[in-house]
Amino acid sequence: MGYKSRTKPFPHQAKEYNDHRKKDVRALLWQMRSGKTKAIIDLAEYRFSIGDITGLVIMAPNGVHDNWARRELPRHCSTLYRAAVYRSSQRNTKSHKYAFDRLMKTPRGQLAVLCINSETIWREPAKKVLGEFMRQHSGKLMLCVDESHDFRTPGSKRTRTARGYAKQCRVKRIMTGTTVSNSPLAAWSQFEILQPGALGFHTHAEFKAEYAIYEMRKLKGGKQFSQLVDYRNLDDLTQRISKWSSVVLRQDCKGMPDLNPSYRGFEMTDEQRKLYDQVKKTGILDEMDLTGAAKMTKLQQITRGWYYDEFKEVHDVVPDEKNPALIALLDEIKGSNGKVIVWCRFKVDLNKVQAMLQREGINFVMYRGGMSGDAKNIAMNKYMENPAIKVFLGQPQSGGVGLNLAAGTTIIWFSHVFDLIIYEQASERATQVDGSTIDVIHIEAVRSTDQYIISTLADHRDVAAAVTGSGLRTVLDLEELI
């Protein structure tokens, strides 16, 4: 069979497809933003076309699972399919129940796709949905575990549940760019999802005994405990992993565009969603009666966990330590191998990100309106020249034009602007002649104004429409999708 796909593959994607599409189990240990998602979709299309599978289960982190259905499948899949996204907070709503009833009635000749949040798979409501889906496609299922490092703890309920479901699937893929970033011992339970004993050990205790060195330590009270002091035989572990795996580094990704856009979704908390839906429906927040641009802006603030009242006082909707937007941002920063540029539209967002970086001990520089020219130059030079500085944190209105920030390899839009000129200028700050591809990551709340703003900018539409009544109408329509 020829390579049939809606989008043209890059060489490393084509190689994976051509060489390994008939293998039932495999690990894609590809660096972030290297095209793992497309590789999985292309594989699913092939295995569906030859009758190996009728259903596909995507297990992915909160918000990322939504992105598969909303963006990646429509973009890459040429096969007819029907997809549904499991959201624990929405599971009792009519629309959610309808989506799953419809998924269970997927016509023959269409691929059925269930996208489910990794964090919820061990809970009873999610297990019920997964169980029904798997029974319907008994023996003809493909499982993709996105960001499989989330299953690195062997004894967790999440990991044990995933391993149980994996046994019911014919085709299995795990994918991550950070398999053993914290510890080589994290590999065992991830590869167990592919196949029991995949790395040659049937228990985690056996695995640890082979690759870890422990010593007994004593507490002051005389109690003893075993402490990890070093690793060993890692060359052997590498050989065992290589049997199942493909590794792609960013420098291997020939032909990728100068700017590589991607989207990191997150689900708002129940408190955020309740307030967001109230403002969206009524236009009323506290004593404010919001319309047009003011309403759009206020909704955008709520997605980031706060809002301004009529006196410009800040009200937090969710504590910073539980703010899903900040959690998603931190995950992307930690997952980046190089320097990062973070753009925030609002000063409040800058302050919250700044506090988060300080709590996490991540070195950064600030570049914002109100700083002197000398202070801005010092910040820019430190970012460019000091390898210890990980993050350039700025406002695109003041730092997005004219600066040379070519030390960066990743740009993250934490909160988005409406102005296409500012957006395009700020997204180009890290590019340089003969330079490498720059990842441009958009943090977005699912079913929110974020997705309308981003799609408008990405499609080069008239951004003025984003603040009109027709723009708001489109937001409401988009939020009813998947």
Side-chain angles (χ1 to χ4, degrees), residues 2 47 137 163 172 205 221-222 291 342 345 378 390 425 479:
R47 300 302 288 261
H137 299 276
R163 288 170 58 186
K172 288 167 278 192
T291 59
V342 178
R345 176 188 176 190
I378 290 171
K390 173 78 170 179
Q425 287 282 342
E479 291 173 16

Side-chain angles (χ1 to χ4, degrees), residues 169-356:
C169 300
R170 173 172 178 172
V171 183
K172 288 167 278 192
R173 294 294 187 271
I174 61 173
M175 48 190 271
T176 178
T178 53
T179 323
V180 293
S181 293
N182 293 326
S183 165
L185 301 182
W188 184 79
S189 60
Q190 295 178 64
F191 281 81
E192 284 292 295
I193 293 173
L194 291 181
Q195 181 172 300
L199 297 181
F201 303 88
H202 292 289
T203 68
H204 192 232
E206 293 174 354
F207 181 77
K208 288 194 299 182
E210 181 67 20
Y211 299 114
I213 300 174
Y214 291 87
E215 292 183 357
M216 297 304 297
R217 297 282 193 261
K218 277 188 177 182
L219 297 174
K220 288 184 178 180
K223 186 176 181 180
Q224 291 187 327
F225 68 98
S226 181
Q227 184 177 52
L228 174 67
V229 294
D230 204 355
Y231 301 106
R232 63 185 178 188
N233 302 329
L234 295 187
D235 287 345
D236 176 72
L237 177 58
T238 299
Q239 288 296 319
R240 292 173 185 265
I241 290 175
S242 69
K243 174 183 176 181
W244 308 95
S245 306
S246 165
V247 175
V248 172
L249 306 178
R250 286 307 301 273
Q251 56 263 37
D252 301 325
C253 301
K254 307 300 183 185
M256 294 192 79
D258 292 339
L259 296 177
N260 183 31
S262 62
Y263 308 88
R264 172 60 188 264
F266 67 89
E267 291 277 2
M268 287 184 273
T269 65
D270 291 343
E271 295 90 341
Q272 283 175 283
R273 175 57 68 183
K274 182 178 179 180
L275 182 60
Y276 183 95
D277 289 343
Q278 171 195 314
V279 174
K280 181 184 73 173
K281 183 177 181 180
T282 67
I284 298 174
L285 179 62
D286 294 339
E287 300 300 319
M288 295 178 287
D289 189 0
L290 305 166
T291 59
K295 183 175 180 180
M296 181 81 82
T297 298
K298 208 62 63 180
L299 291 172
Q300 189 181 11
Q301 292 169 358
I302 292 169
T303 67
R304 294 308 179 266
W306 63 275
Y307 66 88
Y308 282 127
D309 66 16
E310 59 182 324
F311 303 107
K312 281 288 183 178
E313 293 291 328
V314 177
H315 294 258
D316 284 335
V317 184
V318 60
D320 287 352
E321 63 272 14
K322 296 182 179 179
N323 187 325
L326 290 173
I327 293 170
L329 173 63
L330 180 62
D331 187 50
E332 292 296 334
I333 291 173
K334 288 184 173 181
S336 173
N337 291 321
K339 287 177 176 274
V340 178
I341 301 167
V342 178
W343 294 125
C344 299
R345 176 188 176 190
F346 301 104
K347 290 182 179 179
V348 176
D349 287 338
L350 279 176
N351 295 337
K352 289 181 177 294
V353 175
Q354 178 184 17
M356 179 193 73

Side-chain angles (χ1 to χ4, degrees), residues 432-448:
Q432 59 181 320
V433 177
D434 296 327
S436 60
T437 295
I438 304 300
D439 293 323
V440 182
I441 305 169
H442 305 81
I443 304 293
E444 58 176 17
V446 299
R447 297 179 294 121
S448 78

Side-chain angles (χ1 to χ4, degrees), residues 417-428:
V417 295
F418 290 98
D419 191 309
L420 183 60
I421 294 175
I422 292 176
Y423 169 78
E424 291 189 328
Q425 287 282 342
S427 295
E428 291 281 357

